[in-house]
Amino acid sequence: MKPVLIRLLLLLAWAPFYTQAQQRFSFEIEGGHFLKDGKAVPIISGEMHYPRIPHQYWRHRLEMLKAMGLNTVATYVFWNLHETEPGKWDFEGDKDLRRYIETAGELGLMVILRPGPYVCAEWEFGGYPWWLQNIPGMEIRRDNPEFLKCTKRYLDRLYEEVGDLLVTRGGPIIMVQAENEFGSYVAQRNDIPLEEHKRYNAAIRRQLADAGFDAPLFTSDGSWLFEGGTTPGALPTANGESNIENLKRVVDQYHGGKGPYMVAEFYPGWLSHWAEPFPNVSASWVARQTEKYLQNDVSFNFYMVHGGTNFGFTSGANYDKDHGIQPDMTSYDYDAPISEAGWVTPKYDSIRNVIGKYVDYVIPEVPAPNPVIEIPSIRLTGIADVLAFAKRQEPVESPVPLTFEQLRQGYGYVLYTRHFNQPLAGMLEIPGLRDYATVYVNGERVGELNRYYNRYSVFVEIPFDATLDILVENWGRINFGEEIVNNRKGIVGPVTVNGMELSDWFMYRLPMDGAPGPDKTAEVRAGTPEASFLHRKPVLYTGSFNLSETGDTFIDMSAWGKGIVFINGKNIGRYWQAGPQQTLYVPGVWLKKGENRIVIFEQLNDGPKNEISAVKVPILKELKS
């Protein structure tokens, strides 16, 4: 029997017990209102994404949301998180969407599901699986047979996972979003006829219905983008709309002259990029706008009420025509009412006070924060050469550089290597760099190339019988805008010196999908003369530390260059000296009493490191570039 069928039979068997554990209710959109059990209710919602929070903390964060006065939680569903390879699905652990929704229902919260298939969310590739780009004839986000074949498989599989949690089956999911912010894409892709855009949007709506999603559907767009983003049969909602009169006018125009009225993304904070100032949104403005909505019968969803963390390689990137790529930070704090580590903020308190004046239910007490610890000193005992480590693997040979996708690697790093039998000097140019590279000649770093700063060239002197190494990092695929269709990583075009194209490349994959262990690396002791030979090379630092108690903490990377950190085998994310983020959040549930292990992949290694520390307070606003 197939695993999916077994899971479905178990769900059917347990459905009566689940529906008894939560209160069943009806929900519909009728007469210009949201009706719960036939009574008009406001949706007072907050966005919170399950994979950005360890699953052990889901209940705490949902209790925090409820204690702010909210009655609903909204979440995107991240297709690439679940279909890691074509037809290979993962809904376990931090990916257990079903358990997340069930927990919300147990706490008496309604749930808004936003399955995309495109989500944006400052998430890698906007939620699309990277491997879509390898399918012949594929054109994403279009009325394209190959693409719609894949979206259908995803939505059908998602229904198998959570379909019985729809309100129509006695579950807490009250509404389902069809596509996401499609109106902005229509405006950006004016090279595609509007009729085709509408066919695609309608196709996604039909696929949701065909899969079995029969709860009310909605769309979300800026109010000026409804023409391209709305679709028949779905309630239009307006993102970021603070003008009540305009909100009601445009919804009435596209929804038969009546409400209900909802702002599906009300921004109490904002997203943050590396090398740019951390955004701040005034708590007093958020409180005033919240009250304005409540006074005028406008439902809303805080995006985000709690951001969490882009662990591992899950962060995406925005793209600006004038500037270029803008990689999203590891922290997804978002200046949200609930901080990255789940703490109350002044913004939280002010919103809670406002909501308390308008709701007819008792707002529960705020739960206590999770314990926080500091670790004054973690000794780093080993250091290993990543260039040497990479070259112990089997290379892929090609006349031209291959992309990550051609190498069938989604994330991480690729080392591009070429040997020279004759000396060569001149300007090395890699206009097809995606996204960040360090360049070495015979192991000595000669330059750093960077798509954020549009640095694509460096002068090189290559002697006789020498090796050129280019270590390339995927900074996260673009998640918003028309450039989402140009999302291959690595080196996507010719590499030249003095205009002459270089050929005959060896490529070594470094996906870093797990922490490299000492059995895989030729370590030397950190701080020894041998370690000094690794100065300015990419290296792996290793160490261990003992704890008598566990708790949340923040690894302080402010004295480091660029890289990623593993704690007990978990990739807690990227760091970069540019800031503004200088610490990495470590959930206490990923630590253990006794011995813990740390591995740091430091790409620049401009100075020797013997120790590192973890602090109690994050540093998210220290911009150095």
Side-chain angles (χ1 to χ4, degrees), residues 402-418:
L402 301 179
T403 66
F404 276 52
E405 292 75 18
Q406 289 169 319
L407 292 167
R408 302 196 176 277
Q409 177 179 321
Y411 316 108
Y413 311 81
V414 168
L415 179 64
Y416 295 81
T417 295
R418 188 188 189 281

Side-chain angles (χ1 to χ4, degrees), residues 395-438:
V396 175
E397 299 180 46
S398 172
V400 298
L402 301 179
T403 66
F404 276 52
E405 292 75 18
Q406 289 169 319
L407 292 167
R408 302 196 176 277
Q409 177 179 321
Y411 316 108
Y413 311 81
V414 168
L415 179 64
Y416 295 81
T417 295
R418 188 188 189 281
H419 190 75
F420 290 81
N421 293 320
Q422 298 293 329
L424 180 66
M427 192 62 70
L428 172 72
E429 295 185 280
I430 316 177
L433 173 66
R434 306 290 186 270
D435 299 298
Y436 176 93
T438 41

Side-chain angles (χ1 to χ4, degrees), residues 156-412:
D156 286 349
R157 179 63 182 84
L158 179 61
Y159 181 81
E160 291 176 5
E161 194 69 24
V162 301
D164 63 317
L165 301 182
L166 293 165
V167 68
T168 49
R169 313 282 189 277
I173 301 173
I174 58 169
M175 293 200 300
V176 178
Q177 184 177 345
E179 241 285 342
N180 180 52
E181 297 179 320
F182 191 60
S184 65
Y185 193 66
V186 171
Q188 293 155 349
R189 293 298 308 274
N190 54 21
D191 57 312
I192 301 172
L194 180 60
E195 293 75 18
E196 183 188 333
H197 281 308
K198 288 187 175 294
R199 285 200 308 273
Y200 163 72
N201 212 6
I204 295 300
R205 186 195 70 230
R206 284 196 307 273
Q207 286 187 351
L208 284 163
D210 292 345
F213 288 98
D214 56 359
L217 297 179
F218 72 101
T219 59
S220 65
D221 283 286
S223 59
W224 65 98
L225 298 167
F226 275 22
E227 175 60 26
T230 56
T231 187
L235 172 72
T237 67
N239 291 351
E241 182 57 74
S242 58
N243 185 313
I244 303 296
E245 184 178 320
N246 189 57
L247 169 68
K248 293 186 175 182
R249 179 190 60 79
V250 72
V251 170
D252 286 349
Q253 179 184 347
Y254 286 89
H255 192 57
K258 60 185 178 181
Y261 308 105
M262 182 169 180
V263 175
E265 292 191 4
F266 169 26
Y267 305 114
W270 195 243
L271 60 95
S272 44
H273 299 131
W274 290 110
E276 297 177 10
F278 186 88
N280 290 287
V281 177
S282 162
S284 60
W285 177 85
V286 174
R288 288 195 304 271
Q289 188 62 38
T290 300
E291 187 154 32
K292 190 176 174 183
Y293 289 146
L294 292 168
Q295 289 171 337
N296 288 276
D297 193 27
V298 173
S299 293
F300 56 88
N301 174 50
F302 287 111
Y303 190 101
M304 302 286 297
V305 71
H306 170 55
T309 309
N310 293 316
F311 295 114
F313 298 124
T314 59
S315 59
N318 285 302
Y319 187 86
D320 180 86
K321 288 182 178 178
D322 297 323
H323 183 88
I325 197 168
Q326 298 170 293
D328 299 310
M329 294 197 320
T330 297
S331 171
Y332 201 60
D333 180 88
Y334 214 86
D335 191 30
I338 305 169
S339 78
E340 179 181 14
W343 302 344
V344 167
T345 66
K347 196 175 291 183
Y348 180 101
D349 289 331
S350 60
I351 294 170
R352 186 174 190 265
N353 290 335
V354 168
I355 293 175
K357 296 190 297 183
Y358 291 91
V359 297
D360 60 1
Y361 47 81
V362 175
I363 298 177
E365 292 298 311
V366 180
N370 291 318
V372 181
I373 63 172
E374 67 178 356
I375 310 172
S377 178
I378 299 172
R379 298 293 298 173
L380 301 174
T381 53
I383 181 172
D385 183 349
V386 168
L387 298 181
F389 164 58
K391 291 177 182 178
R392 285 199 294 275
Q393 302 176 65
E394 189 69 27
V396 175
E397 299 180 46
S398 172
V400 298
L402 301 179
T403 66
F404 276 52
E405 292 75 18
Q406 289 169 319
L407 292 167
R408 302 196 176 277
Q409 177 179 321
Y411 316 108

Side-chain angles (χ1 to χ4, degrees), residues 92-125:
E92 302 298 326
D94 295 341
K95 304 179 181 184
D96 191 350
L97 172 63
R98 179 181 183 82
R99 183 65 229 149
Y100 183 74
I101 296 169
E102 287 175 337
T103 304
E106 290 163 8
L107 293 172
L109 291 166
M110 298 182 286
V111 177
I112 295 172
L113 196 68
R114 309 180 73 188
Y118 164 77
V119 298
C120 184
E122 292 71 62
W123 187 270
E124 221 277 341
F125 205 2

Side-chain angles (χ1 to χ4, degrees), residues 475-617:
W475 239 343
R477 290 179 180 83
I478 294 165
N479 54 251
F480 180 78
E482 66 269 36
E483 281 299 310
I484 197 170
V485 299
N486 299 314
N487 247 330
R488 296 184 184 275
K489 292 299 183 177
I491 297 177
V492 303
V495 178
T496 64
V497 174
N498 293 334
M500 179 182 69
E501 183 174 347
L502 303 181
S503 59
D504 301 323
W505 292 91
F506 290 79
M507 283 144 288
Y508 301 87
R509 302 181 185 95
L510 285 168
M512 294 285 183
D513 47 7
D519 57 321
K520 299 178 182 177
T521 62
E523 288 189 324
V524 298
R525 275 194 80 76
T528 63
E530 291 87 351
S532 65
F533 288 106
L534 299 177
H535 179 60
R536 290 172 56 83
K537 285 188 177 183
V539 293
L540 292 168
Y541 282 95
T542 58
S544 61
F545 55 99
N546 284 282
L547 296 176
S548 58
E549 61 175 355
T550 62
D552 292 353
T553 193
F554 302 87
I555 299 290
D556 186 354
M557 307 307 300
S558 57
W560 292 67
K562 193 176 193 310
I564 55 176
V565 178
F566 295 89
I567 299 289
N568 291 330
K570 288 188 175 287
N571 184 343
I572 62 171
R574 298 179 175 96
Y575 64 90
W576 187 23
Q577 60 191 0
Q581 178 178 358
Q582 301 294 343
T583 54
L584 290 173
Y585 172 54
V586 183
V589 291
W590 292 354
L591 298 171
K592 54 190 177 182
K593 291 183 179 180
E595 186 177 64
N596 296 264
R597 182 168 177 78
I598 185 170
V599 177
I600 303 171
F601 173 34
E602 166 59 42
Q603 295 165 244
L604 301 178
N605 197 35
D606 286 331
K609 302 289 191 295
N610 299 318
E611 65 177 354
I612 197 168
S613 64
V615 296
K616 287 187 174 182
V617 179

